[in-house]
Amino acid sequence: MKSDLSTKNFEESRHYLAGGVSSSLRSSMKPVPLFATSGKGPRLRDVDGNEYVDYLLAYGPLILGHCHPQLTKDLKSQMEKGYTYGLQHAEEIKLAKLLVDIIPSAERVTFSGSGTEAVMLALRLAKSFTKKSKVVRFHGHYHGWSDSIFTSFPSADMNNKYSSQGGNLTVPGTSGQSEKSLEDIIVLPWNNTEALEETLYARRNEIAAVITEPVMCNSGCILPKEGYLERMRELTEELGIILIFDEVITGFRLALGGAQERFKIKPDLTTMGKAIAGGIPLSAVGGRKDIMALIEEGKVNHLGTLNGNPIAAAAAISTISILSAQHGAVFDRMERTAVDLAEGLKNLLEKHEIKGVVNQIGPVFHLMFTNGDVVTSFDEFMASDTKAYQTFAEKMLSEGVLIRPNGLWYISTEHSNQDVKYTLEAADRALASLVKEYS
């Protein structure tokens, strides 16, 4: 793998762009942050002419892969009509109707630009509706980087270390973030029904909302234990607490209607992003009509110059159309591809006598090097060998496979059996090299 031009571009970029990258995550890539030139389907090309099978998928949005022909055509068509108006338009209505039809919890929706913004709005709606201020969130979940929710987040591609404060992970996620901004946050262990029940009953008069990823995608792709989300729904309904599903990752990925469709659990509010528009910036909040009415009544202000702009709306309409074709047949295909790849990686770990775990659901999975037989909790996830995995990711890059250094893999509609075969052959060589290096 050549990286001369990426290295040169990175050095030049650092003279003008703070840190040389536009997101702190990108600086963790070894041997150097890549500079891309183009992508097509499941493959991406960099400035040095290297081509990769891409499982990073822009950290999740590219569910249709790169430059999907139908999405590209629909975007060009809209661009010829206008980029943005600062006014309402037909595509916005069409998209809103689609989401109300598709998302089980969405009686009304509204748009913004990023997952972080969607979470900010959902929390404001919950606090305004309940007239309470506290928010329960969980260890290892990620809900964006706004001051009011961003706690120290341990990840192989972020610099934060896992630290606790009185058993409650309320350490700010970045320098410059006021500790007072997290005074309303209560952090609990996920998948622990007893801790959830105890806290909600004891502090029911303070807690406005519980926000959760339905699957703990960012930290091990850990599934909810049987009955856990159901009990969370029962408790929040009983105690008048708003349940928020953060489906920025799971939305349009685990099913067309997201994890709530797959698990048959309806939250009060849902945040969506990433895959919703196939790579064009867009996020949404959907939920109960009475809660969303706070926006209509002007009690909760919702602002944003580019909210629901026609380019983003057209991208989302096109993406949803592609995903829903033939009754959503692509979801079965993506899941089969993910299963084949995950099982192949498990077999390779066994072949090379490397202790590891692969947690997979739908077209997403997490590969971890760990001595444990299973990873079903955040503590078990934190015991994995992130340094060894980062080395593996670097070796995979040299083999022509792009993966995220934290272990999270995404599958798109465009990944094929041939891509799986290529990837497993590359992983076989990379794992063999890893064993030699660490022996």
Side-chain angles (χ1 to χ4, degrees), residues 116-171:
T116 292
E117 293 172 76
V119 169
M120 289 168 59
L121 177 59
L123 294 179
R124 284 182 179 176
L125 287 167
K127 291 178 180 182
S128 175
F129 187 81
T130 61
K131 296 179 173 56
K132 295 182 283 186
S133 63
K134 300 294 184 184
V135 174
V136 170
R137 56 156 298 170
F138 300 95
H139 293 300
H141 290 213
Y142 178 70
H143 303 296
W145 57 288
S146 67
D147 280 11
S148 61
I149 197 72
F150 185 37
T151 59
S152 183
F153 188 78
S155 174
D157 45 19
M158 295 180 73
N159 294 324
N160 304 75
K161 302 296 184 184
Y162 178 68
S163 57
S164 62
Q165 190 169 293
N168 194 358
L169 189 64
T170 53
V171 179

Side-chain angles (χ1 to χ4, degrees), residues 46 54 233 417 428:
D46 69 17
D54 184 5
R233 176 66 284 187
N417 293 334
D428 194 7

Side-chain angles (χ1 to χ4, degrees), residues 67-87:
C67 295
H68 190 283
Q70 185 60 52
L71 176 56
T72 301
K73 178 182 176 181
D74 292 340
L75 282 171
K76 286 181 177 178
S77 176
Q78 177 55 52
M79 290 174 71
E80 290 173 352
K81 302 173 188 174
Y83 305 155
T84 192
Y85 309 124
L87 302 170

Side-chain angles (χ1 to χ4, degrees), residues 96-109 247 251-252 255-261 266-267 269-272 276 284-287 320:
K97 184 178 185 302
L98 275 174
L99 294 179
V100 168
D101 289 342
I102 288 168
I103 308 301
S105 65
E107 295 178 334
R108 295 286 189 277
V109 298
E247 295 230 45
F252 308 95
L256 191 63
Q260 59 194 269
E261 176 187 320
K266 189 184 293 187
L269 293 171
T270 301
T271 62
M272 298 161 274
I276 189 173
V285 176
I320 292 169

Side-chain angles (χ1 to χ4, degrees), residues 10 15 43 74 79 83 101 137 141 154 188 206 224 244 246 261 263 266 285 315 329 360 400 406:
F10 183 52
H15 288 292
R43 295 182 177 259
D74 292 340
M79 290 174 71
Y83 305 155
D101 289 342
R137 56 156 298 170
H141 290 213
L188 298 179
E206 302 174 79
I244 304 170
D246 186 340
E261 176 187 320
F263 295 140
K266 189 184 293 187
V285 176
Q360 174 266 326
N406 82 333

Side-chain angles (χ1 to χ4, degrees), residues 35 37 42 49 86 110 118 166 183 306 325 418:
F35 282 73
T37 57
T110 192
E183 287 180 346
L306 297 175
Q418 183 179 353

